[in-house]
Amino acid sequence: MKKDTARLKDLLGLEYLSRAQIEELLDQAKPMKQLFTRSVKKAPALRGKTVALVFFEPSTRTRTSFELAAKRLSADTLNIAASTSSVQKGESLIDTAKTLDAMKVDYIVLRHSASGAPHLVAREVKARVINAGDGSHEHPTQGLLDAFTIIEKKGKIDGLKVAILGDVAHSRVARSNLWVLTKLGAHVTVCAPETLIPPGLKEIFGSHVTITSHVDEAVKDADVINVLRLQVERQKENLMPSIREYAELFGLNLSRLALAKRDCIVLHPGPMNRGVEITSEVADSHQSVVLDQVTNGIAIRMSVLYWLTGHPLLDGGATAEQTLTQSEKLS
Ligand code: CP
């Protein structure tokens, strides 16, 4: 059967990508990482392109790593935040996006509190749109960097037992993880208080997913545990016990981690609530790969920016120098 590796105009969610497209994006991140871990961290692959970073919700990791990714590929960047833009004067998201399009930006990287906002923008603009997190829908580059980190540490995803712990109902990270991990062959156990498990997961993911509210059951023999941020702002909705009780019943601590495989790795997308969903002992342990995720986020975002150009893929087996030369020829 022919593999679906067609390039898309936009990256809106991992739900819409084939396994082959995901594998291309992950493979392409390897030479990107090689490139930016040398002393001269730049390649000219996106020289002359402009990347607009439109963040209408707070972000540390995603915004800065997209900016670094764009700059390391020699693109120009613009930063637009709701608090300092004409959104404050009532301008709509679509009008803001069309304004950027009229300025001939090549990419709009959008974070927005409304699920589906990047999809609406993508229909209205020529620029390539990348979803940097939309409401509780998807955060595709987070899903890709999590998968890349797992492959880097475990050598594969196929056949792994992955536990996702926490506020799954409100988590775009959980959704993008579920799509990428199940497409790449992992078995995912989702664990949260019953009120924080969204309906319909079984219908969508079938036998690839197990759902439980018992953390010990979820982490037993796990190869990977991905801990989600407890969205404490949801506390007022009475969807969970108190934060103290949540930490006791659902937080990942060393004794729970000991139930997993000895070489189990722990991921967290950040920002972490230490002492709530994860203890500092776990967050700072040798099994934690949280800072590897941050580093890999730049490589994945370089890969996504480059992939959307439609240029031939860089050679994953090439050295950083060969990659640089190849991307120079393409620019
Ligand atoms: N993981 C993540 O999206 O972090 P930021 O909110 O800091 O971008």
Side-chain angles (χ1 to χ4, degrees):
M1 203 171 70
K2 198 170 173 292
K3 281 186 175 181
D4 176 13
T5 53
R7 309 286 183 87
L8 305 176
K9 170 184 167 279
D10 311 292
L11 179 67
L12 302 177
L14 300 184
E15 176 180 358
Y16 320 113
L17 297 189
S18 68
R19 178 175 181 143
Q21 288 169 321
I22 288 170
E23 284 172 345
E24 267 191 2
L25 282 162
L26 296 174
D27 283 348
Q28 186 71 130
K30 286 183 214 158
M32 297 299 181
K33 181 166 178 180
Q34 212 185 26
L35 197 67
F36 79 72
T37 45
R38 6 178 272 169
S39 59
V40 178
K41 298 179 175 59
K42 270 198 159 178
L46 295 187
R47 192 163 50 196
K49 305 287 181 201
T50 307
V51 179
L53 303 159
V54 183
F55 276 67
F56 286 179
E57 270 193 337
S59 167
T60 299
R61 281 146 285 266
T62 312
R63 198 200 60 70
T64 49
S65 63
F66 261 116
E67 183 160 3
L68 282 172
K71 286 184 166 157
R72 284 173 186 177
L73 292 176
S74 305
D76 298 316
T77 56
L78 294 174
N79 274 287
I80 292 129
S83 58
T84 50
S85 74
S86 289
V87 168
Q88 289 297 321
K89 300 180 209 164
E91 186 164 61
S92 72
L93 173 65
I94 297 297
D95 282 338
T96 304
K98 283 183 172 174
T99 301
L100 293 169
D101 215 35
M103 293 178 186
K104 310 296 177 204
V105 305
D106 299 284
Y107 297 84
I108 296 176
V109 178
L110 177 64
R111 171 167 289 191
H112 201 281
S113 59
S115 298
H119 303 62
L120 280 178
V121 169
R123 289 211 302 254
E124 300 288 338
V125 297
K126 289 199 181 68
R128 299 175 188 285
V129 176
I130 302 175
N131 180 359
D134 63 326
S136 54
H137 174 236
E138 277 223 43
H139 191 347
T141 55
Q142 181 72 45
L144 289 170
L145 77 89
D146 290 346
F148 184 84
T149 306
I150 294 169
I151 294 169
E152 196 175 59
K153 302 291 173 189
K154 296 279 168 199
K156 61 170 189 175
I157 287 187
D158 233 336
L160 292 186
K161 185 179 175 206
V162 181
I164 298 180
L165 309 183
D167 183 358
V168 182
H170 300 107
S171 176
R172 51 199 177 206
V173 175
R175 269 174 199 74
S176 288
N177 262 260
L178 278 160
W179 284 116
V180 68
L181 295 173
T182 56
K183 285 181 190 211
L184 296 183
H187 183 87
V188 182
T189 301
V190 168
C191 177
E194 281 176 18
T195 50
L196 293 180
I197 295 175
L201 283 186
K202 256 317 207 193
E203 285 70 21
I204 298 168
F205 298 104
S207 61
H208 301 290
V209 169
T210 300
I211 298 168
T212 178
S213 291
H214 301 283
V215 180
D216 291 1
E217 190 183 307
V219 301
K220 190 170 178 334
D221 298 327
D223 298 287
V224 177
I225 303 174
N226 197 349
V227 186
L228 304 174
R229 180 175 82 86
L230 177 67
Q231 303 198 12
V232 285
E233 59 273 25
R234 312 284 178 191
Q235 174 69 4
K236 57 183 176 295
E237 294 172 28
N238 285 329
L239 293 173
M240 65 194 91
S242 71
I243 289 176
R244 186 181 57 77
E245 264 186 294
Y246 181 90
E248 271 172 30
L249 294 173
F250 293 97
L252 185 64
N253 54 32
L254 285 177
S255 55
R256 289 198 171 119
L257 180 56
L259 300 172
K261 290 204 179 120
R262 279 171 65 88
D263 60 352
C264 174
I265 55 170
V266 178
L267 288 82
H268 191 304
M272 290 188 278
N273 297 304
R274 287 171 180 261
V276 181
E277 71 268 2
I278 189 166
T279 63
S280 280
E281 289 79 8
V282 174
D284 301 328
S285 73
H286 69 279
Q287 286 169 272
S288 165
V289 295
V290 170
L291 294 177
D292 299 280
Q293 289 172 268
V294 175
T295 307
N296 291 338
I298 303 172
I300 282 293
R301 286 162 183 138
M302 288 167 79
S303 176
V304 167
L305 289 166
Y306 186 77
W307 191 78
L308 290 175
T309 63
H311 284 322
L313 295 171
L314 302 177
D315 178 0
T319 64
E321 280 70 20
Q322 286 164 335
T323 305
L324 182 63
T325 310
Q326 191 178 347
S327 65
E328 244 158 0
K329 282 188 198 139
L330 293 170
S331 65

PDB file of all heavy atoms in Angstrom, residues 58-63 111 139 142 269-271, ligand 1:
ATOM      1  N   PRO A  58      -0.870  32.607  27.593  1.00  0.00           N
ATOM      2  CA  PRO A  58       0.525  32.596  28.043  1.00  0.00           C
ATOM      3  C   PRO A  58       1.288  31.352  27.575  1.00  0.00           C
ATOM      4  O   PRO A  58       0.699  30.297  27.382  1.00  0.00           O
ATOM      5  CB  PRO A  58       0.402  32.585  29.575  1.00  0.00           C
ATOM      6  CG  PRO A  58      -0.990  32.997  29.878  1.00  0.00           C
ATOM      7  CD  PRO A  58      -1.833  32.593  28.708  1.00  0.00           C
ATOM      8  N   SER A  59       2.586  31.516  27.398  1.00  0.00           N
ATOM      9  CA  SER A  59       3.445  30.383  27.023  1.00  0.00           C
ATOM     10  C   SER A  59       4.893  30.748  27.310  1.00  0.00           C
ATOM     11  O   SER A  59       5.296  31.883  27.074  1.00  0.00           O
ATOM     12  CB  SER A  59       3.292  30.095  25.527  1.00  0.00           C
ATOM     13  OG  SER A  59       4.315  29.228  25.080  1.00  0.00           O
ATOM     14  N   THR A  60       5.648  29.808  27.817  1.00  0.00           N
ATOM     15  CA  THR A  60       7.107  29.978  27.907  1.00  0.00           C
ATOM     16  C   THR A  60       7.767  29.082  26.870  1.00  0.00           C
ATOM     17  O   THR A  60       8.432  29.545  25.938  1.00  0.00           O
ATOM     18  CB  THR A  60       7.619  29.609  29.320  1.00  0.00           C
ATOM     19  OG1 THR A  60       7.008  30.487  30.255  1.00  0.00           O
ATOM     20  CG2 THR A  60       9.134  29.732  29.419  1.00  0.00           C
ATOM     21  N   ARG A  61       7.558  27.762  27.008  1.00  0.00           N
ATOM     22  CA  ARG A  61       8.262  26.791  26.180  1.00  0.00           C
ATOM     23  C   ARG A  61       7.901  26.896  24.695  1.00  0.00           C
ATOM     24  O   ARG A  61       8.784  26.960  23.832  1.00  0.00           O
ATOM     25  CB  ARG A  61       7.945  25.353  26.637  1.00  0.00           C
ATOM     26  CG  ARG A  61       8.702  24.913  27.850  1.00  0.00           C
ATOM     27  CD  ARG A  61       7.838  23.981  28.677  1.00  0.00           C
ATOM     28  NE  ARG A  61       6.864  24.807  29.354  1.00  0.00           N
ATOM     29  CZ  ARG A  61       7.045  25.280  30.586  1.00  0.00           C
ATOM     30  NH1 ARG A  61       8.087  24.921  31.268  1.00  0.00           N
ATOM     31  NH2 ARG A  61       6.170  26.087  31.135  1.00  0.00           N
ATOM     32  N   THR A  62       6.610  26.869  24.388  1.00  0.00           N
ATOM     33  CA  THR A  62       6.199  26.757  22.980  1.00  0.00           C
ATOM     34  C   THR A  62       6.590  28.012  22.203  1.00  0.00           C
ATOM     35  O   THR A  62       7.151  27.927  21.107  1.00  0.00           O
ATOM     36  CB  THR A  62       4.683  26.510  22.900  1.00  0.00           C
ATOM     37  OG1 THR A  62       4.348  25.467  23.803  1.00  0.00           O
ATOM     38  CG2 THR A  62       4.258  26.124  21.502  1.00  0.00           C
ATOM     39  N   ARG A  63       6.323  29.197  22.789  1.00  0.00           N
ATOM     40  CA  ARG A  63       6.615  30.428  22.051  1.00  0.00           C
ATOM     41  C   ARG A  63       8.126  30.588  21.831  1.00  0.00           C
ATOM     42  O   ARG A  63       8.578  30.851  20.727  1.00  0.00           O
ATOM     43  CB  ARG A  63       6.043  31.649  22.771  1.00  0.00           C
ATOM     44  CG  ARG A  63       5.923  32.862  21.854  1.00  0.00           C
ATOM     45  CD  ARG A  63       5.839  34.167  22.606  1.00  0.00           C
ATOM     46  NE  ARG A  63       7.010  34.411  23.430  1.00  0.00           N
ATOM     47  CZ  ARG A  63       8.233  34.699  22.974  1.00  0.00           C
ATOM     48  NH1 ARG A  63       8.460  34.785  21.671  1.00  0.00           N
ATOM     49  NH2 ARG A  63       9.232  34.884  23.808  1.00  0.00           N
ATOM     50  N   ARG A 111      -1.474  30.283  19.152  1.00  0.00           N
ATOM     51  CA  ARG A 111      -2.011  29.700  20.392  1.00  0.00           C
ATOM     52  C   ARG A 111      -3.256  30.491  20.756  1.00  0.00           C
ATOM     53  O   ARG A 111      -3.236  31.728  20.788  1.00  0.00           O
ATOM     54  CB  ARG A 111      -1.014  29.746  21.534  1.00  0.00           C
ATOM     55  CG  ARG A 111      -1.686  29.342  22.851  1.00  0.00           C
ATOM     56  CD  ARG A 111      -0.719  29.064  23.954  1.00  0.00           C
ATOM     57  NE  ARG A 111       0.005  27.817  23.722  1.00  0.00           N
ATOM     58  CZ  ARG A 111       0.761  27.236  24.639  1.00  0.00           C
ATOM     59  NH1 ARG A 111       0.907  27.774  25.832  1.00  0.00           N
ATOM     60  NH2 ARG A 111       1.397  26.102  24.377  1.00  0.00           N
ATOM     61  N   HIS A 139      -2.382  20.031  20.732  1.00  0.00           N
ATOM     62  CA  HIS A 139      -1.102  20.743  20.816  1.00  0.00           C
ATOM     63  C   HIS A 139      -0.120  19.852  20.051  1.00  0.00           C
ATOM     64  O   HIS A 139       0.694  19.122  20.629  1.00  0.00           O
ATOM     65  CB  HIS A 139      -0.711  20.861  22.298  1.00  0.00           C
ATOM     66  CG  HIS A 139       0.429  21.792  22.580  1.00  0.00           C
ATOM     67  ND1 HIS A 139       1.264  22.297  21.612  1.00  0.00           N
ATOM     68  CD2 HIS A 139       0.887  22.305  23.760  1.00  0.00           C
ATOM     69  CE1 HIS A 139       2.175  23.085  22.174  1.00  0.00           C
ATOM     70  NE2 HIS A 139       1.957  23.102  23.471  1.00  0.00           N
ATOM     71  N   GLN A 142       3.667  19.559  20.688  1.00  0.00           N
ATOM     72  CA  GLN A 142       3.969  18.927  21.982  1.00  0.00           C
ATOM     73  C   GLN A 142       3.887  17.404  21.834  1.00  0.00           C
ATOM     74  O   GLN A 142       4.751  16.674  22.322  1.00  0.00           O
ATOM     75  CB  GLN A 142       2.999  19.412  23.057  1.00  0.00           C
ATOM     76  CG  GLN A 142       3.264  18.818  24.439  1.00  0.00           C
ATOM     77  CD  GLN A 142       4.515  19.372  25.091  1.00  0.00           C
ATOM     78  OE1 GLN A 142       4.730  20.579  25.069  1.00  0.00           O
ATOM     79  NE2 GLN A 142       5.340  18.516  25.681  1.00  0.00           N
ATOM     80  N   PRO A 269       4.781  17.999  30.220  1.00  0.00           N
ATOM     81  CA  PRO A 269       4.897  19.049  29.202  1.00  0.00           C
ATOM     82  C   PRO A 269       5.305  20.400  29.779  1.00  0.00           C
ATOM     83  O   PRO A 269       5.760  21.275  29.053  1.00  0.00           O
ATOM     84  CB  PRO A 269       3.483  19.125  28.608  1.00  0.00           C
ATOM     85  CG  PRO A 269       2.587  18.597  29.690  1.00  0.00           C
ATOM     86  CD  PRO A 269       3.401  17.570  30.424  1.00  0.00           C
ATOM     87  N   GLY A 270       5.134  20.583  31.106  1.00  0.00           N
ATOM     88  CA  GLY A 270       5.374  21.873  31.735  1.00  0.00           C
ATOM     89  C   GLY A 270       4.225  22.825  31.434  1.00  0.00           C
ATOM     90  O   GLY A 270       3.489  22.611  30.474  1.00  0.00           O
ATOM     91  N   PRO A 271       4.036  23.855  32.204  1.00  0.00           N
ATOM     92  CA  PRO A 271       4.745  24.107  33.449  1.00  0.00           C
ATOM     93  C   PRO A 271       4.288  23.133  34.536  1.00  0.00           C
ATOM     94  O   PRO A 271       3.123  22.737  34.551  1.00  0.00           O
ATOM     95  CB  PRO A 271       4.354  25.556  33.795  1.00  0.00           C
ATOM     96  CG  PRO A 271       3.040  25.785  33.105  1.00  0.00           C
ATOM     97  CD  PRO A 271       3.044  24.920  31.891  1.00  0.00           C
TER      98      PRO A 271
HETATM   99  N1   CP B   1       4.105  22.685  27.163  1.00  0.00           N
HETATM  100  C1   CP B   1       3.682  23.936  26.913  1.00  0.00           C
HETATM  101  O1   CP B   1       2.845  24.177  26.029  1.00  0.00           O
HETATM  102  O2   CP B   1       4.266  24.899  27.682  1.00  0.00           O
HETATM  103  P1   CP B   1       4.022  26.461  27.509  1.00  0.00           P
HETATM  104  O3   CP B   1       2.602  26.745  27.918  1.00  0.00           O
HETATM  105  O4   CP B   1       5.037  27.115  28.406  1.00  0.00           O
HETATM  106  O5   CP B   1       4.226  26.803  26.054  1.00  0.00           O
END
